[in-house]
Amino acid sequence: MSDESVINPAIQTKDRSFYLKGKPFFIYSGEIHYFRIPKKYWNSHLQQAKSAGLNTVSSYIPWNWHEYEEGKFDFTGQSNPQRDLVQFLKLIKKNGLYFSARVGPVSNAELTHEGIPGWLLDSHPEIYVQRKGFNNLPHALLLSYLHPTFQNYVKKWYDQILPLVSQSQVHQGGPILLVQLCNEIGMIHWLHKAFDESEFVTTLYQNFLEEKYGEISQLNQRYGAHYQNYSQVRQPQGDLNPENFLIHFDWALFYRRYYALYFHSLSRQAKEHAITVPLSANAPQFYDYDVRGRGVFSPMTTSLYQDFSRLNPGTVFGGAYQMRRLDFENFHDIVITSEVTKLLDDAAPTICAELQTGVMRDRPRLYPQDVDLNIKTSVAHGLNGVNCYMFSSGLNSKGMGAFGSYHDWQAPVSLNGKETKPHIQPLKEWGKWIQRHGSDLAETKKVSDFALGFYSPYYATEYCSGAWVQELESARTNFFFDGFARIVQLAGFNYSFRDLLKSSLQDLLQEEMVSVFSLERMDEETQSKLLDYCRKGGKLLLGPRVPLVNLRNQKCTLLADGLGVEVEPIQKKEIILWKGMECPFDAPI
């Protein structure tokens, strides 16, 4: 259980909304990296933010920037003027803005070693994920989050930065209204499919299984195994197939617990340092496909955070909407990603921690309409705050940039604090609207026509590979993400999400209709729950397959039998006529 949280008298969250000094508040923020901007230009950038109608600015506070040598911390600019975080906070306050502090320990941010001090990595290589065949690169750091050595050094960092953050919170007269702990937890691990095979993590995995199954005989029965004790159980290697589906799903649940425990270790320290403003977590969500970013993996990567709220209720969740080109081919990515994010906490607000208002490289060119459509689509589907990333350009100090000196990002404000890109205009127009209607918007709730049932076992594949996994990922992308979920959105229907494993029957019955992306595998309890939903008057749309086996690959036709459905496996690719129209038809095996 989490520690008792203290209610901040100035900034609160309730009923999926922010309240600042008792009034509804929509966070309209821009990312300004003070550590990448000469100190003499700081005020110009903040004035540009104010002029654009922003009410908040955001920045990482990089660990390797402020602890530049082991034990040597600088927050006042004694070693370098751009380390004067204290003055930057004062300028934010002076300009009538608020601040979202992203305190690490990991920043990412195209920083060398993602903001982790190089001296720490050099002296303690044991904090790397231990798996053969994987290397750590300047922008791809595979950390073992719960390793005692890493935890010990994170505590030293937090003991320095969190007191400064604490005394700068809004109720203390400072500008800080939100604190992000770490950044995109698990992102690099997922991208490299690099789970941690160290004995330390494997022991945690064994303990997780023992907690779930109790006596080893219970696990053997479920797995069809013959272990003598839990110490003999090893982590799977990601070769997922129908026969070991349950084993890999349990493994995925373990890593969801692992990441939640890591975030809890950070939030516990924040509370010990009297941080009472809301805490936030930024989930990895969009994936680069050459010149276009897509969110097709966002249901999977967002589900990595599904246990956070069990240990840290009230956490504000957000992601990074970086889709490069945005149009009617991929706008639904924002809708789906926003809705799966809301699944992480029933009451907390949701935000976009990095809404694309810049692109790191020059291709593709970012146009005003991209920014305009991104903001309006994101807010229209129920977000309670957005952070424009990047708002300001920057320049890396020597050794700080993983990709060189420049950090331009096509940002609308140049390094010297001048407007340089035309897409600042939609930001200003939206800023004027927020100034007039932001309070009303903050309490506005999205109205949905029906619910999409989210079945997490289909999305627990972040560390898995092989032909069967590729088929699974292809099916959920083509039939659900770019299929049904896109089509109904284009037709003008809005939806919310329901987690089928976490939702009770009574929860489902609050929805007149539930549409479920379903394949051949589904556990007995969920099949039974959906059947009872139908029997009690709920409308169920199911497909492209009707479940016929459980997660142990055993025949289970509870739902099909209860609905009186006969299933015949077929594969068809043909043109059919429907209401006089020719329609390509492609049914799965």
Side-chain angles (χ1 to χ4, degrees):
M1 296 296 292
S2 65
D3 301 327
E4 193 77 23
S5 57
V6 178
I7 297 177
N8 189 294
I11 176 74
Q12 299 178 30
T13 62
K14 59 181 179 180
D15 193 25
R16 289 202 180 280
S17 298
F18 291 104
Y19 289 85
L20 182 63
K21 299 176 182 177
K23 297 181 179 180
F25 184 71
F26 183 91
I27 294 178
Y28 187 39
S29 174
E31 189 83 5
I32 300 176
H33 291 166
Y34 65 94
F35 55 93
R36 284 177 162 136
I37 300 170
K39 187 175 181 179
K40 64 181 179 179
Y41 295 134
W42 285 356
N43 200 56
S44 297
H45 284 263
L46 295 172
Q47 288 176 347
Q48 288 285 5
K50 189 70 174 179
S51 176
L54 304 181
N55 53 41
T56 305
V57 294
S58 170
S59 178
Y60 300 104
I61 302 176
W63 181 3
N64 63 351
W65 181 239
H66 289 284
E67 190 179 5
Y68 53 95
E69 294 180 22
E70 184 172 1
K72 293 184 178 181
F73 296 90
D74 184 2
F75 300 106
T76 59
Q78 294 178 348
S79 60
N80 185 309
Q82 288 171 224
R83 290 193 174 107
D84 194 353
L85 177 61
V86 171
Q87 180 62 21
F88 186 65
L89 292 172
K90 290 179 179 178
L91 287 174
I92 293 172
K93 175 73 174 179
K94 182 179 179 181
N95 280 279
L97 296 163
Y98 296 100
F99 185 53
S100 174
R102 309 173 79 176
V103 299
V106 177
S107 295
N108 300 113
E110 298 76 54
L111 290 168
T112 301
H113 303 310
E114 301 187 319
I116 301 297
W119 53 259
L120 173 60
L121 300 172
D122 291 340
S123 59
H124 293 285
E126 69 270 22
I127 70 175
Y128 287 120
V129 160
Q130 303 299 307
R131 191 177 179 208
K132 296 178 181 178
F134 286 84
N135 297 315
N136 287 276
L137 302 173
H139 188 55
L141 198 63
L142 297 168
L143 291 169
S144 186
Y145 292 122
L146 290 181
H147 194 284
T149 301
F150 183 63
Q151 288 277 304
N152 179 53
Y153 277 94
V154 169
K155 183 180 186 305
K156 292 179 179 180
W157 163 240
Y158 271 19
D159 284 346
Q160 294 292 325
I161 185 58
L162 291 185
L164 174 57
V165 170
S166 181
Q167 67 188 30
S168 301
Q169 296 175 98
V170 286
H171 67 290
Q172 302 280 21
I176 296 177
L177 52 65
L178 192 67
V179 173
Q180 180 185 299
L181 304 177
C182 209
N183 188 56
E184 295 186 314
I185 296 169
M187 176 184 69
I188 302 300
H189 306 69
W190 153 57
L191 289 174
H192 291 75
K193 295 189 180 295
F195 56 91
D196 193 339
E197 290 185 295
S198 67
E199 284 302 315
F200 172 76
V201 175
T202 297
T203 298
L204 294 177
Y205 170 63
Q206 294 163 350
N207 293 341
F208 171 83
L209 293 176
E210 186 172 10
E211 178 186 335
K212 179 174 182 177
Y213 290 108
E215 295 294 331
I216 192 67
S217 59
Q218 295 298 314
L219 179 134
N220 285 333
Q221 180 181 359
R222 298 283 288 179
Y223 283 10
H226 301 89
Y227 297 115
Q228 298 298 313
N229 52 62
Y230 281 97
S231 65
Q232 295 179 341
V233 182
R234 311 306 294 176
Q235 294 190 60
Q237 295 298 302
D239 51 343
L240 175 61
N241 58 62
E243 287 70 35
N244 61 25
F245 195 103
L246 179 62
I247 295 173
H248 278 79
F249 183 54
D250 280 344
W251 188 47
L253 291 178
F254 160 70
Y255 273 102
R256 283 150 180 76
R257 171 76 65 84
Y258 174 90
Y259 293 134
L261 288 172
Y262 169 59
F263 188 82
H264 184 58
S265 73
L266 304 179
S267 66
R268 185 173 60 248
Q269 293 180 69
K271 292 173 183 177
E272 290 172 354
H273 285 285
I275 305 296
T276 58
V277 298
L279 302 177
S280 67
N282 179 22
Q285 293 177 322
F286 274 67
Y287 182 87
D288 285 344
Y289 285 84
D290 194 15
V291 296
R292 187 185 291 267
R294 294 300 312 277
V296 295
F297 289 111
S298 64
M300 178 186 74
T301 56
T302 304
S303 76
L304 294 174
Y305 290 43
Q306 68 181 32
D307 285 351
F308 279 40
S309 287
R310 293 182 182 179
L311 300 176
N312 309 279
T315 300
V316 175
F317 293 97
Y321 295 0
Q322 302 285 343
M323 63 288 297
R324 310 300 188 251
R325 277 276 79 77
L326 178 61
D327 51 33
F328 281 100
E329 293 298 319
N330 66 337
F331 84 100
H332 63 289
D333 293 27
I334 294 175
V335 182
I336 295 170
T337 300
S338 298
E339 291 304 324
V340 297
T341 303
K342 294 175 190 176
L343 285 178
L344 298 175
D345 192 285
D346 293 334
T350 51
I351 62 175
C352 180
E354 298 177 19
L355 185 138
Q356 175 182 276
T357 54
V359 178
M360 185 168 58
R361 297 175 180 84
D362 290 336
R363 294 192 302 270
R365 174 80 176 273
L366 191 63
Y367 292 97
Q369 57 265 36
D370 293 309
V371 173
D372 190 46
L373 184 58
N374 194 349
I375 292 177
K376 290 178 179 177
T377 305
S378 299
V379 175
H381 287 278
L383 295 186
N384 307 97
V386 296
N387 178 44
C388 302
Y389 194 100
M390 294 287 301
F391 182 76
S392 293
S393 295
L395 188 67
N396 291 307
S397 298
K398 184 178 180 180
M400 283 290 286
F403 302 113
S405 299
Y406 293 99
H407 197 262
D408 181 79
W409 266 73
Q410 298 187 49
V413 177
S414 67
L415 184 67
N416 62 2
K418 306 296 183 182
E419 294 181 14
T420 59
K421 298 292 190 298
H423 56 265
I424 198 170
Q425 294 307 315
L427 298 183
K428 287 186 172 183
E429 292 170 7
W430 184 248
K432 292 178 181 177
W433 197 92
I434 288 292
Q435 289 173 344
R436 292 194 299 267
H437 306 293
S439 183
D440 294 330
L441 175 65
E443 289 190 306
T444 301
K445 302 294 185 292
K446 177 181 174 180
V447 176
S448 299
D449 299 294
F450 65 97
L452 293 175
F454 178 74
Y455 189 57
S456 58
Y458 297 154
Y459 294 91
T461 59
E462 63 276 359
Y463 289 150
C464 299
S465 58
W468 198 78
V469 175
Q470 291 177 355
E471 291 180 6
L472 172 59
E473 292 180 345
S474 176
R476 69 194 192 202
T477 297
N478 294 323
F479 290 101
F480 170 68
F481 200 102
D482 283 344
F484 180 79
R486 177 176 183 267
I487 291 170
V488 295
Q489 194 65 58
L490 283 170
F493 295 97
N494 289 313
Y495 41 75
S496 58
F497 271 60
R498 286 281 184 179
D499 189 319
L500 295 182
L501 293 189
K502 294 182 178 180
S503 296
S504 66
L505 175 60
Q506 295 305 314
D507 292 333
L508 293 183
L509 287 171
Q510 295 179 29
E511 307 289 348
E512 182 179 351
M513 173 181 164
V514 176
S515 175
V516 177
F517 165 68
S518 60
L519 298 173
E520 190 175 36
R521 276 157 192 79
M522 184 176 288
D523 67 277
E524 297 91 331
E525 184 178 350
T526 302
Q527 288 195 41
S528 179
K529 190 187 303 182
L530 292 175
L531 180 59
D532 288 343
Y533 170 75
C534 293
R535 287 171 171 170
K536 291 184 178 294
K539 299 176 182 178
L540 179 65
L541 180 61
L542 198 70
R545 299 295 306 274
V546 176
L548 298 176
V549 297
N550 60 22
L551 300 188
R552 289 173 285 166
N553 207 39
Q554 298 170 334
K555 183 178 179 180
C556 180
T557 57
L558 282 171
L559 184 57
D561 294 344
L563 295 176
V565 175
E566 294 184 8
V567 180
E568 181 178 346
I570 59 173
Q571 183 177 23
K572 289 184 178 180
K573 291 184 179 182
E574 58 181 292
I575 302 295
I576 63 173
L577 288 177
W578 181 72
K579 294 186 177 182
M581 295 185 295
E582 289 186 342
C583 302
F585 179 76
D586 184 1
I589 295 176

